[in-house]
Amino acid sequence: MGMIDTWKTQLRTTFTDGDPTIPQWQFEFEKGDDAGYFPVGSAVWTVHSSITPTVAGIRALLLQALHPGAMAGVHAHSSFREEPLGRLANTIRWIFTVTYGSKTAAREGSEFVQRLHTRVHGTYIDSRGDERSYAASDPDLIRWVHLAFTDAFVAAHAAYGGPIPGGPDQYVAEWAHAGQLMGLEDPPRSEAELRSQLAAFDDELTTSDQVREALRYIRRPPLPRSQRLGYRVLFAGAVATLEPRHREMLGLRVPSLGPVPLPIRTTVRLVLGVIRLGLGPEGPAEAAAKKRLRRLSGDADSSAT
């Protein structure tokens, strides 16, 4: 295996929790008897099939960490210290299932995650210093996680991707399906609603030793040497898209030379282009979903004749 092939394998295993083969579940999207929630060319399909979710995932983790209830659940119940990439792989699987799978697969995948959430509960110290109980199935925590992901996808694509069909409003409205699948009532359906619901959490957000510990793992995950410089660029790109108030709470700054910000956008896009080159123009999950859609289209044509 040459150096390029080795690098491509290492790159793929970063997203599959160390598995050098393509996970079988990615091929399962060829199955199913309906078109799913998001057609090809939709806002969600366009954003999620691009490479900007690589940055969005980092940004979402940074933002989620600021809610002490969400952070307590991760700190007490997640294996992020031993297997930080395993948590990433599980999150990718759910997002891909909702994006590319049939409606049945999306519902079943979301129900599986919800069952896992029933085991995650405990107590945490809130932003006012009071002890509170939490469960991962709490409506407020479900809302916070959904908002953090939605905001991250929109912000990362706006900064480093191309146009979104229908714009950010269309993406937020479409991805509301994902929130509903997770039991969220009244998810935001426009960018303005997204901003409003995020702002409603401002008084609940705080930093802590748990946040700082998580930040160390997010900043320097156990990646192969060949990926570390690229990840530093993507991390900086994620930080640059955060709202100033969130960046300040995390103790992070936009990279600069003194008072002059560095041209991070160009560098991030370059790294994302290299990742796309390594992973290929179309992932196996997307390709499998398109096979299902072609089959269903053919079935519809046959029944019409």
Side-chain angles (χ1 to χ4, degrees):
M1 182 181 290
M3 289 180 61
I4 297 297
D5 290 335
T6 300
W7 169 72
K8 287 183 177 180
T9 299
Q10 289 177 341
L11 183 63
R12 188 170 62 246
T13 60
T14 296
F15 299 97
T16 58
D17 193 20
D19 187 348
T21 63
I22 298 171
Q24 180 60 36
W25 61 262
Q26 294 201 26
F27 299 103
E28 295 293 314
F29 301 135
E30 187 174 344
K31 302 176 182 178
D33 298 320
D34 65 73
Y37 287 100
F38 310 109
V40 178
S42 64
V44 165
W45 189 298
T46 299
V47 171
H48 293 185
S49 63
S50 77
I51 204 67
T52 60
T54 312
V55 177
I58 301 169
R59 187 190 191 278
L61 293 178
L62 290 171
L63 186 55
Q64 285 175 32
L66 288 174
H67 191 295
M71 191 65 257
V74 170
H75 192 269
H77 297 274
S78 170
S79 58
F80 76 92
R81 300 174 193 81
E82 299 82 17
E83 298 177 298
L85 298 181
R87 184 173 177 233
L88 171 65
N90 290 335
T91 302
I92 289 172
R93 180 170 183 171
W94 175 75
I95 291 172
F96 276 19
T97 299
V98 175
T99 303
Y100 299 123
S102 65
K103 290 182 179 180
T104 299
R107 285 194 295 267
E108 290 176 352
S110 299
E111 289 167 359
F112 175 75
V113 174
Q114 286 178 298
R115 287 195 296 273
L116 293 179
H117 282 175
T118 61
R119 309 174 193 171
V120 179
H121 52 83
T123 60
Y124 70 95
I125 304 301
D126 68 13
S127 59
R128 291 166 288 277
D130 298 326
E131 185 175 77
R132 294 177 60 180
S133 61
Y134 74 87
S137 55
D138 287 347
D140 273 0
L141 291 183
I142 292 172
R143 184 174 303 279
W144 173 247
V145 171
H146 177 75
L147 295 176
F149 268 118
T150 306
D151 191 44
F153 281 123
V154 168
H157 203 79
Y160 310 116
I164 301 174
D169 280 347
Q170 183 64 26
Y171 176 86
V172 175
E174 289 181 12
W175 195 235
H177 284 299
Q180 291 175 313
L181 286 169
M182 292 302 295
L184 178 61
E185 295 182 6
D186 191 28
R189 289 180 168 81
S190 69
E191 192 172 19
E193 288 183 12
L194 173 64
R195 299 278 162 258
S196 176
Q197 292 193 23
L198 275 169
F201 279 91
D202 279 356
D203 290 342
E204 298 183 44
L205 307 185
T206 186
T207 190
S208 65
D209 289 341
Q210 289 182 354
V211 173
R212 285 184 282 273
E213 180 189 12
L215 185 56
R216 287 196 295 273
Y217 283 91
I218 300 171
R219 189 195 291 267
R220 293 186 179 85
L223 295 172
R225 188 181 302 273
S226 62
Q227 295 175 30
R228 291 174 192 169
L229 178 59
Y231 183 85
R232 284 175 60 186
V233 171
L234 298 184
F235 181 85
V239 170
T241 67
L242 285 167
E243 293 292 329
R245 68 184 188 278
H246 297 145
R247 204 161 46 226
E248 184 176 348
M249 290 181 73
L250 289 163
L252 299 170
R253 290 182 291 182
V254 177
S256 62
L257 286 174
V260 181
L262 292 173
I264 190 69
R265 178 172 295 184
T266 302
T267 312
V268 170
R269 284 179 167 169
L270 176 63
V271 171
L272 291 176
V274 172
I275 294 173
R276 172 58 81 195
L277 185 65
L279 295 178
E282 183 176 84
E286 183 182 4
K290 286 181 176 179
K291 285 184 179 179
R292 183 183 82 255
L293 295 174
R294 286 194 295 270
R295 171 173 56 80
L296 293 172
S297 177
D299 291 347
D301 291 343
S302 297
S303 64
T305 57

